[in-house]
Amino acid sequence: MFNEIQDNNCYKNLLNGKWVTSDSEKTISIKSPIDDKEVGNIQAMTKEEVDIAVLDAKNAYPIWADKSVSERADVIHKAASILEENADEIAEILAKEIAKDIKSAKSEVIRTVDFMRFTADEGKRIQGETLQGDGFHGFSKNKIAFVTREPLGVVLAISPFNYPVNLSASKIAPALMAGNSVVFKPPTQGSISALHLARVFQEAGLPDGVLNTITGKGSEIGDYIITNPNINLINFTGSSEVGKHISEITSMVPMIMELGGKDAAIVLEDAELDHAATNIVKGAFSYSGQRCTALKRVLVLENIADELVELIVEQVSKLQVGNPFDNATITPLINNKAANFVQELIDDALNKNATLKIGNKREKNLLYPTVFDNVTTDMRIAWEEPFGPVLPIIRVKSIDEAVDIANDSEYGLQSSIFTNDIDDAFHIARLLEVGTVQINNKTERGPDHFPFLGVKSSGMGTQGIRYSIEAMSRPKAIVVNLRERSDKVTDK
Ligand code: NAP
Ligand code: G3H
């Protein structure tokens, strides 16, 4: 089923129901971060083609918006089944393209299947309401609002490299369920996996033009896409830097943004330290720390710090490093530039006398898992998001100090608290300036029907299946004003 999306490993774009190459005749070579071998080529689309993609979506929108919710749900359900049938093939491409270990690549695809099914079902349950006017003085019960939910129009979905299937489908499926058409800009590294996802939606029977793809480097065509006047909502996941840039150069376009994070694990004196260490290591190092929700710092009370640090280091020493197809947890980072950035943060910590407990070893873009103890707040690693396998441990004297450092961050995605005292847990949770607090667990997005949001530089708007459908639709009120009756209607 994927034959028509490429010729000789050169991938095309889906425009108005057809897979086409770009008039630019320029392609971008996608190389695997594992061994630098070419995975395929994608099209560098022109500005004119961007305009065509958006116009196709605009023209197709009324046809899709007019479909019944159950017809839309049927298409999403069918797409979920097609994705499931092709899960192994897509997971393999994903593992090659972004160096995600094959087990996690497969679970990304299967999680997406579940996501799409839940979205199709949840979309059917979203209903409008009727409101009566007499709750306000001067209005009567004869004024009645019929409130329905309407789609927005053309949704622009932009996803990041680290979940090119899941974080693309988590925008596209709810947008479609709400009745919107979609223009989809996948991450350049991740495009090939994402184009397979687009083909899945097409194969499921999406009418031509309802989903269109745009490939090309964000740095070259990104600004042009996001300022297209026919875009009615931007749903973006990626770095805070690009997110802020998008919000600066657009005007009056609603946005949902999932951005960077610096999630903290706060470990209290009464925590079960084995459990905390296991969660911290999984949270910090899965997919080499390239997750927005990765644990990116530990704030631990001084008198349990030695024990916790030893437990963490012991588990980190057992992490498998190497090839995603051997199921290593620590795999090559997405590119050398990313590895250089992580190395900069490591070098800064070393120069400022953090205690290196393990790691700081590198083979090209493969960085070994690195743990620093005695990190202090003058070090970059205390504040910056590495998006790589390095974990700073900051020792604190009190819970108040832990909360202050946790909150003194430009980010506010999630936090973890490890403790056996539910009162302390709730008290601290209320103080933390984040979208979600996990008690006795690593930070993580799922399950995907929970609300997912970041505050401060970590994002705006709320995702999560029902929240996403609502965020990509709007209420519309039709108000009926019944005439006052002088004659009384009485029950017989
Ligand atoms: P990124 O560099 O910001 O890129 C994200 C997406 O934006 C890519 O598709 C990219 O295209 C595109 N883009 C770049 N410049 C653009 C522009 N001027 N206009 C429009 N689009 C543009 O992020 P990334 O490196 O892929 O992902 C890592 C970051 O994402 C981390 O900071 C991570 O925390 C964050 N993230 C957050 C969440 C969350 O839910 N909060 C989830 C996952 C990741 P190209 O690939 O072509 O450059
Ligand atoms: O990278 C950001 C993803 O939304 C994180 O999802 O917590 O399931 O890895 P995850």
Side-chain angles (χ1 to χ4, degrees):
M1 69 158 283
F2 298 115
N3 288 343
E4 60 192 302
I5 75 173
Q6 51 103 17
D7 275 330
N8 293 322
N9 224 15
C10 192
Y11 287 82
K12 306 177 194 174
N13 274 293
L14 179 61
L15 286 188
N16 205 21
K18 308 258 170 336
W19 288 91
V20 295
T21 53
S22 169
D23 286 345
S24 73
E25 294 180 11
K26 278 196 211 147
T27 56
I28 302 166
S29 168
I30 305 297
K31 306 242 174 80
S32 172
I34 307 169
D35 52 13
D36 219 27
K37 283 195 187 137
E38 192 167 87
V39 186
N41 291 279
I42 56 156
Q43 308 293 318
M45 284 174 74
T46 62
K47 289 180 176 171
E48 291 72 27
E49 287 160 344
V50 168
D51 290 342
I52 291 169
V54 179
L55 208 58
D56 286 343
K58 189 180 175 185
N59 291 336
Y61 161 67
I63 300 163
W64 183 245
D66 197 39
K67 299 261 182 220
S68 68
V69 173
S70 53
E71 283 173 312
R72 288 183 218 143
D74 288 346
V75 174
I76 310 285
H77 268 301
K78 188 152 181 220
S81 299
I82 296 170
L83 185 61
E84 191 173 38
E85 283 155 25
N86 293 280
D88 288 336
E89 191 183 337
I90 296 178
E92 202 160 306
I93 296 164
L94 187 60
K96 250 189 235 161
E97 197 179 11
I98 61 159
K100 181 172 278 193
D101 70 88
I102 186 70
K103 199 169 152 218
S104 303
K106 180 87 189 276
S107 65
E108 175 174 342
V109 178
I110 294 302
R111 171 182 181 175
T112 306
V113 170
D114 283 348
F115 182 98
M116 286 158 63
R117 289 190 173 134
F118 199 117
T119 302
D121 292 338
E122 187 69 14
K124 288 186 189 179
R125 287 192 282 265
I126 291 180
Q127 297 286 339
E129 59 185 347
T130 57
L131 302 172
Q132 237 172 234
D134 58 341
F136 257 72
H137 294 298
F139 292 96
S140 90
K141 62 174 68 156
N142 286 336
K143 188 181 263 302
I144 303 169
F146 290 81
V147 185
T148 52
R149 283 210 87 82
E150 302 289 319
L152 299 176
V154 178
V155 168
L156 171 62
I158 306 179
S159 52
F161 79 82
N162 64 338
Y163 279 90
V165 173
N166 185 263
L167 289 179
S168 302
S170 66
K171 296 169 176 50
I172 296 169
L176 293 175
M177 239 358 259
N180 302 287
S181 59
V182 176
V183 172
F184 171 37
K185 152 75 182 94
T188 295
Q189 192 79 34
S191 292
I192 297 177
S193 315
L195 290 171
H196 282 76
L197 177 74
R199 171 69 184 134
V200 162
F201 279 105
Q202 184 198 25
E203 178 72 15
L206 211 55
D208 292 352
V210 174
L211 173 64
N212 304 280
T213 63
I214 298 175
T215 54
K217 291 195 175 143
S219 52
E220 287 168 16
I221 51 161
D223 288 6
Y224 191 76
I225 307 172
I226 57 182
T227 49
N228 185 300
N230 289 316
I231 301 287
N232 301 107
L233 176 128
I234 299 173
N235 191 337
F236 173 84
T237 302
S239 60
S240 300
E241 189 188 347
V242 174
K244 284 178 186 170
H245 169 74
I246 291 175
S247 73
E248 273 162 21
I249 67 164
T250 49
S251 160
M252 293 290 286
V253 184
M255 283 175 208
I256 308 168
M257 297 230 172
E258 297 179 333
L259 308 175
K262 186 71 182 170
D263 294 0
I266 298 177
V267 187
L268 304 193
E269 284 158 343
D270 64 347
E272 283 172 28
L273 294 187
D274 278 328
H275 176 77
T278 303
N279 266 276
I280 287 168
V281 172
K282 272 197 198 143
F285 293 104
S286 61
Y287 187 38
S288 309
Q290 295 173 113
R291 294 165 49 243
C292 57
T293 47
L295 274 171
K296 293 172 182 145
R297 50 196 172 135
V298 174
L299 302 168
V300 57
L301 271 291
E302 270 176 350
N303 51 351
I304 51 159
D306 286 347
E307 197 184 338
L308 182 74
V309 170
E310 287 322 306
L311 288 168
I312 289 175
V313 172
E314 192 194 329
Q315 293 198 29
V316 170
S317 68
K318 293 180 189 151
L319 291 175
Q320 200 185 325
V321 180
N323 193 313
F325 286 92
D326 297 333
N327 258 325
T329 302
I330 305 295
T331 54
L333 293 188
I334 197 68
N335 53 36
N336 259 315
K337 191 176 163 212
N340 289 342
F341 176 69
V342 180
Q343 189 66 53
E344 253 182 49
L345 298 183
I346 290 176
D347 293 344
D348 176 76
L350 285 171
N351 289 337
K352 290 175 182 156
N353 297 324
T355 312
L356 177 68
K357 297 298 292 185
I358 188 167
N360 188 25
K361 185 175 154 194
R362 177 172 176 184
E363 293 156 14
K364 294 184 194 160
N365 55 333
L366 177 65
L367 289 187
Y368 280 64
T370 298
V371 177
F372 280 110
D373 190 6
N374 297 308
V375 167
T376 47
T377 52
D378 57 332
M379 299 175 191
R380 288 177 61 191
I381 194 66
W383 307 110
E384 294 182 37
E385 178 187 44
F387 230 57
V390 54
L391 180 66
I393 299 173
I394 302 174
R395 295 175 178 232
V396 291
K397 290 188 171 43
S398 65
I399 292 178
D400 286 346
E401 188 185 357
V403 172
D404 285 347
I405 295 175
N407 285 343
D408 202 9
S409 164
E410 70 162 300
Y411 298 107
L413 192 56
Q414 295 202 351
S415 276
S416 289
I417 305 167
F418 292 93
T419 176
N420 271 329
D421 186 324
I422 195 69
D423 297 322
D424 273 352
F426 261 81
H427 173 67
I428 297 168
R430 286 192 183 128
L431 297 174
L432 291 171
E433 295 161 4
V434 290
T436 303
V437 178
Q438 303 270 353
I439 297 171
N440 290 323
N441 197 75
K442 62 188 188 305
T443 44
E444 62 188 6
R445 181 193 189 101
D448 291 324
H449 63 308
F450 283 13
F452 183 69
L453 66 155
V455 301
K456 301 194 271 188
S457 293
S458 288
M460 54 201 242
T462 305
Q463 304 261 32
I465 292 172
R466 177 167 57 81
Y467 303 92
S468 296
I469 299 172
E470 285 175 355
M472 290 192 269
S473 59
R474 64 182 163 82
K476 173 154 187 187
I478 298 175
V479 182
V480 176
N481 295 277
L482 300 178
R483 271 173 293 181
E484 301 292 337
R485 305 265 319 239
S486 50
D487 54 326
K488 289 263 187 308
V489 180
T490 49
D491 288 337
K492 293 243 162 75

